[in-house]
Amino acid sequence: MYYLLNERYRLCGWEKLPYAIIDRKYGRAQFVNKFILDTLEMCNGKIDFSIPIITDDQRKLVEQLVKEGVVSECEKGSELKEKQKYIFYNNRYMNTVHWSITGKCNCKCKHCYMSAPDAKYGELTHEQIMKIVNDMGNCGVLRCTLTGGEALVRSDFWDIVDGLLEREILITQIYSNGFLVNEKFLDELEKRGIHPEINMSFDGTGHHDWLRGIPGAEQAVRKAFLLCQKRGFPTGAEMCLWKDNASSLRESINDLTQMGCRSLKVNPISDTGAWKDGNYGNALSMTEDEVFNVYYEYIDSFYQDLPNILVHLGGFFYADGGEPDFYELPAVHIYENPMRASMCVHARNTMYISAEGRAETCMGMASMSDEFQNQYPLVQEMGLRDCLVDSSYMKLIDTRVEEIIARNEKCIDCKYKSLCLGGCRASAMMFHRDDVLAVDEMTCKIYRDGWLTKIIDKISKLRPEAVCYGVEEYLKVERSDI
């Protein structure tokens, strides 16, 4: 009997993770052991699994792989496609690149941390950006999300898209303000056989225009959401919270639901970039308690409305109105060995490349000072492979939670440290400028001021059947005297 790896899959490996099977449809890597990989390599249409040299364990494994749809029985001599054969990448694994392909924008947002209206960071040349595209393919990057500035203002946008697709890098999301999301844009995506999520900013019903700095911005983004809904493109949204639009949260979420939006992430505006330059902070920014109160009060509305949308309220609350019996507390992390966990699990799988080409842990880092950002490599100069082998970037994402805890006196004896893991690094630096190992005061406040217990108690009354992973572990710690 002969078997062939199904075309949807390919085999590869990276430094420290040498054995993986890639689901090309979803851009996912499943890491396996050498035995499994060796057996998969034998599923090449040339090896007869009925011969005595094939072990019973290998035959049982192949039977299971057939059931899972990974391999299929085939005729002798069937050929495995070249692109499916095992390849080893001489760098560390990075699943996704979140990429600001330009620092330019067609809006004048009052809160832009990269000052996109003035194109502070500009954009890389066509040659530089295509080199990064090529590097991503050569390093085994599986997925890419495109943002800006406004990603769609780049004149070579479609060259970038085509370059990524040619290297089998899945484009999962395209971020936009919506002005250029039109029939022609969606036609071009469909022509290429892709339907990425179109993620658009929506900063509150009746408030969007003011923040975006252009009359008609809300009308334009609403039109874009409805067009995507009509054309079958998934959409997501991000909302920045300040004092004037906080009261519109419920209405905004229900409006987005009606427009077919499937997810919304909400965060307060940070006092950086254009917001800081415009001196808006003192009058319009919200304190942590004000933000948490808005989030906390909205939970009542969420369970009353059950909007068919996934709502992520900062690091506070996460739930999908379409599946109301499950929710998450994003500030709670459960690991077998928490002190040895990476300081940011998201960053360990996703690299952010800034508009100037800087390799950073996340987009929030782009709001830090130039002095801080200059510590990290320019991908177009160093090359992506070297960034993923030995660089200040790799040293940062390989930093462990224990280093954060040891660095901060208030964390050392804190009973929550094995659950909070030091919090979010970008959030920490908003309070302790440019100190990447500082205390995340927002997450600290969620724990120390009892917000998690308040959320759990509220949901137990509003939706008694709702369950949350990690609640029991948190309550054990909360009730302890350690």
Side-chain angles (χ1 to χ4, degrees):
M1 299 180 68
Y2 297 84
Y3 296 90
L4 197 67
L5 183 66
N6 287 335
E7 193 171 345
R8 175 171 163 176
Y9 301 96
R10 68 182 179 92
L11 306 176
C12 69
W14 294 264
E15 288 184 3
K16 298 193 176 186
L17 294 169
Y19 313 119
I21 177 169
I22 306 303
D23 184 336
R24 297 163 59 214
K25 182 177 180 179
Y26 295 108
R28 294 173 184 159
Q30 179 183 350
F31 297 101
V32 297
N33 58 36
K34 190 175 187 301
F35 170 75
I36 294 175
L37 189 99
D38 287 346
T39 305
L40 284 166
E41 283 197 290
M42 295 166 66
C43 297
N44 58 10
K46 298 177 182 178
I47 296 176
D48 185 355
F49 273 73
S50 65
I51 61 176
I53 197 171
I54 302 298
T55 68
D56 288 341
D57 285 342
Q58 287 175 315
R59 293 190 187 97
K60 288 178 183 177
L61 174 59
V62 169
E63 288 175 8
Q64 183 61 36
L65 292 170
V66 169
K67 290 179 182 178
E68 294 173 0
V70 177
V71 303
S72 298
E73 246 186 277
C74 69
E75 296 294 325
K76 178 181 179 180
S78 297
E79 287 287 333
L80 191 67
K81 293 186 183 302
E82 194 65 31
K83 61 186 176 183
Q84 292 179 271
K85 295 179 181 178
Y86 181 82
I87 183 173
F88 181 78
Y89 299 105
N90 294 303
N91 52 263
R92 299 288 294 280
Y93 169 71
M94 188 58 61
N95 178 275
T96 304
V97 168
H98 183 50
W99 192 6
S100 285
I101 57 175
T102 181
K104 298 178 181 179
C105 188
N106 53 353
C107 278
K108 301 176 181 178
C109 302
K110 292 179 174 65
H111 68 310
C112 183
Y113 57 82
M114 63 170 63
S115 301
D118 301 320
K120 177 181 177 181
Y121 295 109
E123 62 183 27
L124 300 183
T125 66
H126 176 75
E127 291 72 21
Q128 289 173 321
I129 215 152
M130 296 310 293
K131 179 183 182 299
I132 293 176
V133 168
N134 193 54
D135 280 359
M136 288 167 61
N138 291 335
C139 291
V141 171
L142 303 177
R143 297 151 64 107
C144 185
T145 60
L146 301 175
T147 187
E150 169 57 42
L152 305 189
V153 303
R154 268 203 79 110
S155 60
D156 57 357
F157 176 81
W158 295 112
D159 292 337
I160 298 169
V161 169
D162 291 338
L164 292 168
L165 296 179
E166 285 167 12
R167 290 158 181 82
E168 293 201 342
I169 298 170
L170 188 67
I171 301 171
T172 56
Q173 292 173 302
I174 297 174
Y175 289 76
S176 176
N177 55 41
F179 274 103
L180 299 176
V181 175
N182 51 34
E183 296 277 8
K184 182 179 178 181
F185 169 69
L186 299 182
D187 286 344
E188 290 293 332
L189 292 174
E190 285 193 334
K191 191 186 300 183
R192 290 161 172 81
I194 59 173
H195 280 73
E197 177 188 278
I198 311 301
N199 191 294
M200 293 175 280
S201 299
F202 189 82
D203 295 303
T205 299
H207 299 276
H208 187 75
D209 285 13
W210 180 84
L211 191 63
R212 295 289 145 185
I214 296 182
E218 183 174 337
Q219 181 181 2
V221 76
R222 284 177 176 273
K223 182 179 178 182
F225 274 116
L226 291 172
L227 176 62
C228 289
Q229 182 181 36
K230 175 185 174 184
R231 294 285 298 269
F233 280 82
T235 54
E238 305 223 359
M239 180 177 178
C240 290
L241 210 64
W242 77 97
K243 286 184 178 179
D244 287 354
N245 76 341
S247 61
S248 74
L249 182 59
R250 181 180 190 177
E251 182 182 5
S252 301
I253 289 173
N254 289 336
D255 281 354
L256 285 167
T257 304
Q258 290 301 311
M259 292 185 284
C261 184
R262 68 179 189 179
S263 66
L264 171 68
K265 186 174 183 179
V266 184
N267 278 306
I269 291 179
S270 300
D271 194 23
T272 60
W275 191 259
K276 185 175 183 178
D277 294 340
N279 294 315
Y280 295 108
N282 289 336
L284 297 174
S285 290
M286 302 173 70
T287 66
E288 302 91 78
D289 281 331
E290 287 173 332
V291 171
F292 294 155
N293 272 306
V294 169
Y295 290 167
Y296 183 69
E297 290 174 8
Y298 173 71
I299 292 174
D300 293 273
S301 301
F302 177 84
Y303 284 103
Q304 289 171 20
D305 302 339
L306 291 182
N308 192 23
I309 186 173
L310 195 159
V311 177
H312 184 185
L313 303 180
F316 196 81
F317 172 76
Y318 182 97
D320 188 335
E323 298 181 7
D325 292 339
F326 303 92
Y327 70 98
E328 292 183 30
L329 299 172
V332 177
H333 307 277
I334 307 299
Y335 286 95
E336 187 175 342
N337 188 357
M339 292 300 105
R340 290 299 299 161
S342 297
M343 69 166 189
C344 178
V345 175
H346 172 80
R348 193 60 199 83
N349 289 285
T350 302
M351 170 190 278
Y352 171 62
I353 300 180
S354 71
E356 63 173 343
R358 198 76 64 183
E360 302 183 88
T361 55
C362 72
M363 205 170 186
M365 300 299 187
S367 65
M368 298 299 113
S369 70
D370 290 344
E371 183 180 1
F372 173 81
Q373 293 188 63
N374 288 342
Q375 299 176 62
Y376 301 102
L378 291 168
V379 179
Q380 68 273 22
E381 293 180 1
M382 176 177 278
L384 185 59
R385 172 166 284 123
D386 285 345
C387 286
L388 291 172
V389 173
D390 183 17
S391 68
S392 54
Y393 167 78
M394 278 306 305
K395 288 183 176 66
L396 181 60
I397 67 169
D398 274 344
T399 301
R400 305 296 166 175
V401 169
E402 60 191 2
E403 295 183 50
I404 298 171
I405 303 303
R407 169 76 175 273
N408 298 288
E409 189 175 344
K410 69 186 293 187
C411 298
I412 293 173
D413 296 322
C414 179
K415 67 180 182 179
Y416 304 116
K417 63 186 177 185
S418 63
L419 297 177
C420 80
L421 308 187
C424 169
R425 298 299 87 216
S427 176
M429 288 189 287
M430 293 298 175
F431 295 88
H432 305 277
R433 198 66 180 163
D434 294 350
D435 184 356
V436 75
L437 297 181
V439 173
D440 173 6
E441 303 292 354
M442 291 285 277
T443 297
C444 191
K445 195 171 186 63
I446 288 174
Y447 277 91
R448 291 180 180 272
D449 289 3
W451 284 105
L452 292 173
T453 300
K454 293 175 188 176
I455 296 168
I456 293 166
D457 288 346
K458 172 172 279 199
I459 296 175
S460 69
K461 295 173 183 175
L462 295 172
R463 191 84 180 182
E465 59 270 45
V467 296
C468 174
Y469 175 71
V471 162
E472 291 304 317
E473 288 84 350
Y474 163 72
L475 291 176
K476 285 178 185 177
V477 173
E478 175 63 18
R479 293 162 183 158
S480 71
D481 295 324
I482 299 174

